[in-house]
Amino acid sequence: LNADVDLHQVCECLRKTRTGRIVLSGIPGTGKTAFGAWLAKELDMPHLSYKASDLLSPYLGETEQKIAAAFATAREQNALLQIDEVDSFLQERKSAVRHWETTQVNQMLTELENYDGLFIASTNLRPNLDKASLRRFDLMIELFGLKPEKARQMFIKTCEELGLSGAEKVPAIRFAALGQLTPGDFEQVSRRGRLIAPDSPGKVLEA
C-alpha cells in the first residue's frame, strides 16, 4: 500500500496501546479494507468489518440500533471494528435535510466517544465527513495509487497467478504511464483472467 504515513510504525504503536480511532481515505481499490484485515491479523484481533449497506435501514431508528449493536459486538469480542463508506453515517450535519440524517451522525459520534477499542473508518469521500466528527479521530491516513515499481511487482504476481511467464521483462516505466493503479485493479484483472484466460503478460497489461 502507498500511504502518507508509515503503516508498519502505526502497527507497532498499536501493539502497545491497542486503542485508537483512525480514518482511512483514498480512491476505491487502494486497500482500505485490506489494511484493516492486515492490522487485525498483526495484532491478533478479530476483524469486524461492516459496509454501509450492512448498517443502513429504511426503518426509522433501526440504523442507529445497528450502529450501536456493531460497537457492542466489537467490545464483546475485543475486535478491531472497521466501517467502510463511513461518510454515509458521518456526513456534514449542516447539509442534512432530514431529521434522521442528523440522528445517525449523532449516534455514530456517541458510540465513538464511548468506545475505547480500535476503530477504523474508511471513506472515499473524506471532504464530506462532518467536521466535528474529525475531531474524534486520532489519526487520518490517506492511501494513494501504487508507485510504479510496486505496480510492476503486483503485475508480476498477477501474471504468476495466471500461469504466465515473462512479466519481469516489462519495465516499471510502463506502469507510470497508466496513472493511479491500485491493488483493486490487479485483483479485478486476476478475476477476469480466470474467466477469459490471457495468453501473454501483454494481454494482462492491456486489461
Side-chain angles (χ1 to χ4, degrees), residues 17-33:
T17 63
R18 305 185 76 81
T19 181
R21 304 166 188 164
I22 299 171
V23 174
L24 281 180
S25 62
I27 60 175
T30 45
K32 295 181 288 294
T33 306

Side-chain angles (χ1 to χ4, degrees), residues 154-160 162-164 167 175 178 181 185-186 189-190 192-193 196-207:
M154 288 207 75
F155 169 73
I156 293 171
K157 181 174 182 291
T158 301
C159 288
E160 288 174 350
L162 295 172
L164 300 171
F175 300 95
L178 292 176
L181 290 172
D185 293 327
F186 287 95
V189 168
S190 182
R192 182 179 186 273
I196 305 176
D199 57 8
S200 69
K203 291 293 184 182
V204 176
L205 193 62
E206 280 181 30

